[in-house]
Amino acid sequence: MIEVSNLSRFYGRFCAVDDVSFSISDGEVVGFLGRNGAGKSTTLKVLAGLLTPSSGTVVVDGVDMTDAPTGFRQRIGFLPETPPLYDDMTVRDFLSYVGSLRGMSAGDLPRRIDEVARKTDIADRLDQLISELSHGYRKRVGIAQAILHRPKLVILDEPISGLDPAQIREMRRVIRALAQESTVLISSHNLHEISATCDRILVLRKGALVREPDGAQDPVAPTIGGLAGGPARHHVALTLRGDGPAIEQHLKDSALVEGQSLKVGPELVLAYVLMHEDRVEELVEGLVRAGFGVRRVEDGLSTQLEDVFLDLTAEAK
Amino acid sequence: MNAVLTVARRELGNYLNSWWGWVVLALVLLFDGLAFNVWAVGFSPKYSAEVLESFFEASTVTVLIAGVLLAMPTIARETSSGTMTLLQTSPITEAQVIAGKYLGALGFLSLIKGLTLYMPLMIELNGKVSWGHIGAGYLGLFALGAATIAIGIYASSVSRYQMLAAILGGSLVGLFLLMWLVSRGAEPPLKDVFGYMAMYDRHFQPFMRGRINTESLVYYASVSFGFLLLATRSLKARRWM
């Protein structure tokens, strides 16, 4: 439904986005990952219709961005990192204004405002001035304006930045709910957040898409592409003391283990383990009984993702 | 057209709901009131038409200053606060944004100037004024204000900060006002060109004397259209920057 082909964007002679191509299906929640300066924000701004691409095409729901710019923007909802809000307006007035700008009918607007207010959990703040809202509520109003006109693609730039843990949890729920009526594209520096929220991840390095995991052929696919598949508790990262090959053999023999990946250091062994079930205690007990030292047990999903992220975004040597 | 009106309503509401709009309104009414009493009516006997002419002459000062001040925040405020993103990602064109901002600012300036109407009507108490003279004078003020606001909106579209927009807008308006001075020192045909470009001297004076000058209306409309077009281009260029 969203087709990005050979997208490039230059600032003068500097290439911020370099020949990026990808596609996203309906209802997917896709994460956009990259280090600072990787071209994430520029790509999102182009997709939001804020910037014109230097070359390439972006098609959403069959509408090309350059052929029909206003029709294209009608299909996009965009929340920049700092929500674009008018402090002097109440939330309701603000949403009415945004709805009118986007051509929504006066009859549909009040009902839709109530609907998005429930969805983003701001129903009790509708008549409050935006200047009086907390950071978390401002983000939610920002999301409400982005989804108000039922866009096909919702783009959220760093939606959880500056939120406290409780707000992050709530925001995660809100984002997942968005996928029921739109495709969602999220950029975030928070790797754990990406892993918890997204179906799929696109990684940018120096303006170019590193790779789009698309199945078994891709060596990283089980790590990134499979994030949405298994709940995080089935992945565990173990820091162990012992002989690398012996640990590898032990894990291979264990009935609890579905797959493993080892990094053997001079003193310690880092083992990523994919388990059939959430039976981490039994796995650790088995390792201790076999005489291996267990130094650390972590949520393997975010640890492994961070590792992959650093690998993918590292400078080519 | 709906999008233009939506932006215009928001702009107008912004003036009415902010201290800024009310300060500009109060200062214009105060200055115009003082100018009417001290400058227009004065302390020596005058014909009613002379009083009215002096009133419109003095009113140009507030139209020019208020025009720049009202146009100053239109785009620059949205840019600095980040809300320009909202307009630029909405399914409306840059021309609609500029037109909406223009109508909102011009509407508020018209409202302010409309509130000064009681002054020329007061001349009726001790004299006789023609409705045609009043109408022509206000039409001239409206046209002058329309051109000033268009220049101010252009300045606001190329500035990130409101103060910078005011300085740039004021300078451009000042330049157009001083064209008559430039024309004095120039040789033909530049003399005629500069003379035609002068915003006040040649084009406003007929209105304050009660004459509707079509050529001047075309001039003010051209200046307004030209600067609004530049402002639209300036917004469009942001998508390439």
Side-chain angles (χ1 to χ4, degrees):
Chain A
M1 191 203 80
I2 291 137
E3 283 287 338
V4 177
S5 308
N6 308 109
L7 181 71
S8 295
R9 182 59 158 86
F10 288 83
Y11 291 112
R13 294 170 66 182
F14 172 72
C15 181
V17 180
D18 184 14
D19 200 29
V20 166
S21 299
F22 60 88
S23 60
I24 305 175
S25 310
D26 286 336
E28 265 193 296
V29 180
V30 174
F32 226 54
L33 211 56
R35 290 178 169 177
N36 285 334
K40 293 192 306 290
S41 287
T42 302
T43 308
L44 291 190
K45 282 177 183 173
V46 171
L47 295 180
L50 200 57
L51 293 177
T52 305
S54 303
S55 64
T57 56
V58 182
V59 178
V60 172
D61 198 29
V63 178
D64 189 298
M65 134 185 281
T66 38
D67 291 347
T70 51
F72 177 86
R73 294 201 291 272
Q74 184 72 54
R75 287 161 172 79
I76 305 287
F78 180 49
L79 171 66
E81 190 170 353
T82 305
L85 308 174
Y86 295 103
D87 283 348
D88 60 311
M89 293 176 118
T90 64
V91 175
R92 192 188 299 278
D93 288 346
F94 171 71
L95 293 175
S96 294
Y97 173 61
V98 171
S100 302
L101 278 179
R102 292 173 186 163
M104 296 180 71
S105 71
D108 182 32
L109 205 43
R111 198 175 56 245
R112 180 61 181 164
I113 288 173
D114 288 338
E115 205 175 301
V116 296
R118 275 197 306 276
K119 198 168 264 186
T120 53
D121 208 12
I122 54 168
D124 56 338
R125 308 287 165 140
L126 278 175
D127 296 310
Q128 201 168 337
L129 276 176
I130 289 175
S131 60
E132 296 169 355
L133 296 179
S134 68
H135 187 68
Y137 272 105
R138 291 175 76 88
K139 284 274 185 188
R140 288 190 216 179
V141 176
I143 291 185
Q145 65 79 23
I147 63 171
L148 186 66
H149 56 301
R150 301 181 182 89
K152 293 288 178 188
L153 173 65
V154 178
I155 301 170
L156 309 175
D157 193 0
E158 302 283 352
I160 58 151
S161 69
L163 301 184
D164 65 35
Q167 290 170 330
I168 288 174
R169 183 185 291 257
E170 185 53 32
M171 184 60 77
R172 202 179 288 160
R173 184 194 64 74
V174 168
I175 291 171
R176 289 303 316 182
L178 297 184
Q180 290 167 6
E181 63 178 35
S182 304
T183 299
V184 184
L185 188 57
I186 303 172
S187 106
S188 175
H189 291 105
N190 188 321
L191 302 176
H192 181 69
E193 188 52 40
I194 285 277
S195 69
T197 317
C198 300
D199 299 328
R200 194 153 62 94
I201 292 173
L202 303 172
V203 183
L204 271 182
R205 185 183 68 198
K206 295 178 85 174
L209 205 57
V210 175
R211 67 185 81 193
E212 187 187 355
D214 58 358
Q217 305 90 326
D218 192 321
V220 192
T223 309
I224 297 183
L227 287 177
R233 63 178 183 275
H234 291 176
H235 300 252
V236 62
L238 301 164
T239 307
L240 305 169
R241 187 189 291 279
D243 179 49
I247 291 172
E248 188 175 10
Q249 191 59 48
H250 174 86
L251 292 173
K252 198 180 277 182
D253 294 342
S254 170
L256 301 170
V257 177
E258 187 181 327
Q260 56 167 304
S261 166
L262 256 64
K263 282 189 177 178
V264 182
E267 290 185 17
L268 298 173
V269 175
L270 187 60
Y272 295 114
V273 179
L274 178 63
M275 300 179 68
H276 294 296
E277 296 173 68
D278 181 13
R279 290 161 66 184
V280 180
E281 294 86 345
E282 290 174 48
L283 179 71
V284 171
E285 191 182 344
L287 284 162
V288 171
R289 282 192 178 164
F292 303 116
V294 179
R295 299 292 297 270
R296 193 182 296 167
V297 180
E298 292 170 277
D299 168 11
L301 195 64
S302 56
T303 313
Q304 194 172 11
L305 179 61
E306 190 156 344
D307 204 49
V308 170
F309 171 67
L310 290 172
D311 280 349
L312 290 176
T313 57
E315 295 287 331
K317 292 184 178 167
Chain B
M1 192 61 193
N2 279 345
V4 174
L5 292 179
T6 299
V7 176
R9 265 199 304 273
R10 160 72 188 149
E11 202 60 29
L12 195 58
N14 213 19
Y15 293 123
L16 293 170
N17 293 324
S18 71
W19 61 270
W20 179 245
W22 289 101
V23 164
V24 173
L25 185 145
L27 288 177
V28 169
L29 292 183
L30 180 69
F31 182 88
D32 279 357
L34 284 172
F36 179 74
N37 281 293
V38 178
W39 172 256
V41 175
F43 305 102
S44 54
K46 282 181 182 175
Y47 288 113
S48 299
E50 286 176 340
V51 173
L52 198 55
E53 187 181 324
S54 298
F55 166 71
F56 286 128
E57 189 179 18
S59 287
T60 56
V61 175
T62 51
V63 164
L64 292 168
I65 294 174
V68 170
L69 293 180
L70 293 177
M72 171 183 91
T74 47
I75 306 291
R77 184 188 51 221
E78 303 258 17
T79 307
S80 59
S81 68
T83 48
M84 199 65 212
T85 305
L86 192 74
L87 295 171
Q88 287 188 299
T89 55
S90 291
I92 58 173
T93 63
E94 285 81 0
Q96 287 174 313
V97 172
I98 293 295
K101 296 278 181 187
Y102 181 65
L103 284 182
L106 188 56
F108 190 64
L109 183 64
S110 303
L111 177 75
I112 296 175
K113 278 293 156 185
L115 293 174
T116 67
L117 191 62
Y118 74 95
M119 292 180 216
L121 294 180
M122 280 170 63
I123 300 171
E124 281 281 350
L125 294 176
N126 293 307
K128 180 88 181 142
V129 287
S130 112
W131 282 101
H133 192 169
I134 293 175
Y138 272 102
L139 180 63
L141 288 177
F142 178 81
L144 182 69
T148 307
I149 286 174
I151 293 171
I153 286 180
Y154 166 68
S156 189
S157 74
V158 294
S159 314
R160 187 175 178 82
Y161 304 104
Q162 295 188 43
M163 195 51 73
L164 201 63
I167 292 169
L168 179 62
S171 304
L172 283 171
V173 169
L175 195 68
F176 272 88
L177 289 175
L178 291 175
M179 282 295 177
W180 68 273
L181 206 60
V182 179
S183 77
R184 276 189 175 183
E187 297 292 326
L190 285 179
K191 188 180 180 69
D192 295 333
V193 173
F194 289 132
Y196 180 78
M197 285 171 71
M199 209 161 155
Y200 171 80
D201 197 49
R202 172 170 165 177
H203 294 295
F204 185 74
Q205 285 182 359
F207 289 102
M208 70 188 203
R209 290 179 188 128
R211 286 203 315 273
I212 294 175
N213 191 351
T214 316
E215 179 199 320
S216 298
L217 284 179
V218 171
Y219 163 81
Y220 285 124
S222 304
V223 171
S224 303
F225 182 76
F227 276 96
L228 292 179
L229 197 64
L230 284 175
T232 305
R233 294 286 175 198
S234 162
L235 283 195
K236 278 189 176 172
R238 292 185 186 193
R239 294 190 194 276
W240 289 99
M241 291 162 76

